[in-house]
Amino acid sequence: MVKLLRTNKLQKLSKVLVLALSLSLFSCRQKENKDQENGKFTFGVWTTADAKKSDADYSKEFKKYKDGGIDEVLINTQTDPKLLARLVPLAKKEGLKVHAWIMAMNRPNDSVALQHPDWYQVSKEGKSCFDNRPYVDYYQWLCPTKEESRNHVLGLVEGLAKVEGIESVHLDYIRFPDIFLPISLLPKYNLVQDVELPQFDFCYCDACVSKFEKEHHKNPKNSHNTSIDMEWKNFRLNAVKAVVDDAYKIAHKHNKKLTAAVFPYPEMADHMVRQRWDKWNIDEVYPMIYHSFYDEEIDWVGYATKQGVADLEGKPTKVNTGIYIPGLKSDAELKEAILLAKKNGATGVSFFDGNALSDSNLKTIAAVKSTL
């Protein structure tokens, strides 16, 4: 009988210990998950590389970012995998993650593409970006429909995706030329854009027109009003989406993510540059919510972030709010912009660009980060 009682007590004690251990593990997991959630809000910066710059200077730059609260750098190496491979270990040594930033459909001074004039987008006026560039001379847009030009871009994506140690291939200019400029830029070009103007309406090359005709049995050049022709508009939105979706497969094949710098929120991107990023297969988007470009106040950062987050509801794609440093009036506005992005659902913020970040800015970023 005594032996039986002792056995029962041991069994009860064992159950209590198991329960206590389970509760302890659950508590640890909760803390770990909470820590992970807190660590998800990241701080990044876009920066353009210069092959002539020394490793020591880069290490100094990367350390400055890290000390200022920055977690990741989005580096434009002009699609040079060797330069990128050189910079990755330097950045990682300072504790920074690296994304390979690429100008995708807009390929200024692309030596390979320039040998193929037929790869370039054509305006409604019939003028090619090869030798007649809209707005600025560096607008040299490749056609996302033509097989040769899209494969060239995807080949560049793959070259960057193969670089060991990067987090993602980061697409920029993954769209058409601006059919509407941000309102604050219009005076610079002495333009009024109340309607879609033919010189800024792309792409009407033979590849786009013939493919559209095959699918929809009509020629967009004969449309009474192309601005309200939804099939023609969606054709171009889908042409960009197809490039992104293929880039996503390539990046993931090499165990990298695909990210992109995009216009502020999907409806606006659709209207301004034929870009509907909520429809894409992509891991994270970095909407460039540059409020000063649109003559908006700082609270617009929160508004536009919220719009993008809402449009991605139910999808795994994350939103990382892009902040334009020269458009801020003070460090107080910088702090407000960061907090507005976080409050409205962003998983991080990124700053354009590294050269614009002052020591004061970096102190502010580090101070805000310590409170999140």
Side-chain angles (χ1 to χ4, degrees):
M1 177 65 92
V2 173
K3 187 176 180 181
L4 182 61
L5 287 171
R6 189 179 294 143
T7 301
N8 288 338
K9 285 182 180 179
L10 287 171
Q11 287 176 337
K12 288 179 181 178
L13 181 61
S14 177
K15 288 179 180 178
V16 170
L17 288 171
V18 168
L19 179 61
L21 181 61
S22 297
L23 288 171
S24 176
L25 288 171
F26 178 72
S27 177
C28 287
R29 286 196 193 100
Q30 276 192 317
K31 183 178 185 304
E32 183 181 334
N33 289 338
K34 188 176 181 181
D35 289 342
Q36 287 175 348
E37 288 294 322
N38 289 340
K40 277 185 179 178
F41 197 81
T42 59
F43 292 79
V45 62
W46 283 284
T47 184
T48 297
D50 181 353
K52 296 176 183 177
K53 193 170 176 177
S54 70
D55 287 1
D57 284 340
Y58 269 112
S59 293
K60 184 178 178 181
E61 179 183 349
F62 294 146
K63 185 179 187 305
K64 179 182 77 171
Y65 293 151
K66 185 63 179 179
D67 291 345
I70 301 298
D71 302 300
E72 58 181 27
V73 283
L74 303 109
I75 306 178
N76 179 9
T77 62
Q78 308 294 336
T79 62
D80 182 349
K82 290 182 179 179
L83 179 55
L84 182 64
R86 175 191 147 202
L87 298 181
V88 169
L90 299 176
K92 294 188 81 170
K93 186 178 179 182
E94 299 302 330
L96 297 171
K97 293 180 178 179
V98 179
H99 300 258
W101 172 19
I102 171 178
M103 294 177 73
M105 300 320 303
N106 181 26
R107 300 289 310 149
N109 303 313
D110 185 317
S111 59
V112 174
L114 285 170
Q115 296 175 41
H116 304 275
D118 59 316
W119 286 7
Y120 290 81
Q121 292 190 31
V122 175
S123 73
K124 192 176 181 179
E125 287 187 327
K127 296 178 180 179
S128 170
C129 283
F130 176 74
D131 52 13
N132 198 290
R133 296 153 196 168
Y135 303 114
V136 287
D137 195 51
Y138 67 83
Y139 261 28
Q140 298 175 273
W141 295 80
L142 299 183
C143 176
T145 299
K146 194 173 184 68
E147 186 175 354
E148 293 86 354
S149 51
R150 74 189 308 278
N151 284 347
H152 173 61
V153 172
L154 292 170
L156 296 172
V157 167
E158 183 147 36
L160 295 174
K162 289 177 178 178
V163 175
E164 187 177 348
I166 67 165
E167 297 295 312
S168 82
V169 176
H170 182 72
L171 305 175
D172 196 4
Y173 290 93
I174 183 66
R175 56 180 179 86
F176 283 83
D178 316 59
I179 188 68
F180 293 106
L181 283 177
I183 190 169
S184 71
L185 299 184
L186 290 172
K188 179 180 178 181
Y189 299 97
N190 195 27
L191 281 171
V192 175
Q193 291 183 327
D194 293 333
V195 295
E196 294 187 0
L197 300 174
Q199 64 267 41
F200 306 121
D201 186 8
F202 293 84
C203 173
Y204 291 78
C205 76
D206 291 342
C208 285
V209 170
S210 63
K211 186 176 180 183
F212 181 78
E213 277 191 299
K214 186 176 180 181
E215 292 178 6
H216 296 281
H217 318 294
K218 56 183 178 180
N219 188 324
K221 292 180 180 179
N222 299 330
S223 174
H224 172 67
N225 186 348
T226 50
S227 68
I228 59 172
D229 187 330
M230 288 301 102
E231 288 87 2
W232 178 230
K233 184 178 182 181
N234 282 329
F235 174 86
R236 290 174 288 178
L237 292 174
N238 289 334
V240 173
K241 172 179 164 54
V243 174
V244 174
D245 291 353
D246 283 348
Y248 179 86
K249 293 173 187 174
I250 290 168
H252 279 249
K253 180 179 73 174
H254 295 285
N255 299 312
K256 308 300 193 309
K257 293 179 181 178
L258 187 73
T259 60
V262 294
F263 267 55
Y265 54 90
E267 296 89 351
M268 189 173 188
D270 178 332
H271 173 70
M272 297 185 74
V273 294
R274 324 288 195 200
Q275 182 190 66
R276 189 74 198 209
W277 47 261
D278 56 327
K279 307 291 186 183
W280 296 351
N281 289 330
I282 196 161
D283 296 293
E284 190 164 1
V285 286
Y286 291 60
M288 299 172 287
I289 304 179
Y290 301 166
H291 66 287
S292 61
F293 283 26
Y294 305 96
D295 287 345
E296 298 285 356
E297 300 296 328
I298 196 72
D299 61 348
W300 193 74
V301 172
Y303 167 79
T305 298
K306 187 175 182 179
Q307 287 291 117
V309 170
D311 284 341
L312 287 170
E313 187 175 359
K315 292 191 170 189
T317 306
K318 297 177 182 178
V319 172
N320 187 303
T321 296
I323 296 171
Y324 185 62
I325 293 297
L328 300 170
K329 297 173 184 175
S330 65
D331 283 322
E333 279 201 347
L334 172 57
K335 178 181 178 180
E336 187 177 358
I338 295 168
L339 296 177
L340 282 167
K342 189 173 191 302
K343 179 182 178 182
N344 287 281
T347 58
V349 289
S350 292
F351 307 106
F352 188 86
D353 67 349
N355 289 330
L357 282 174
S358 67
D359 291 341
S360 178
N361 293 153
L362 289 166
K363 285 180 182 177
T364 300
I365 293 164
V368 174
K369 184 178 183 180
S370 69
T371 67
L372 299 180

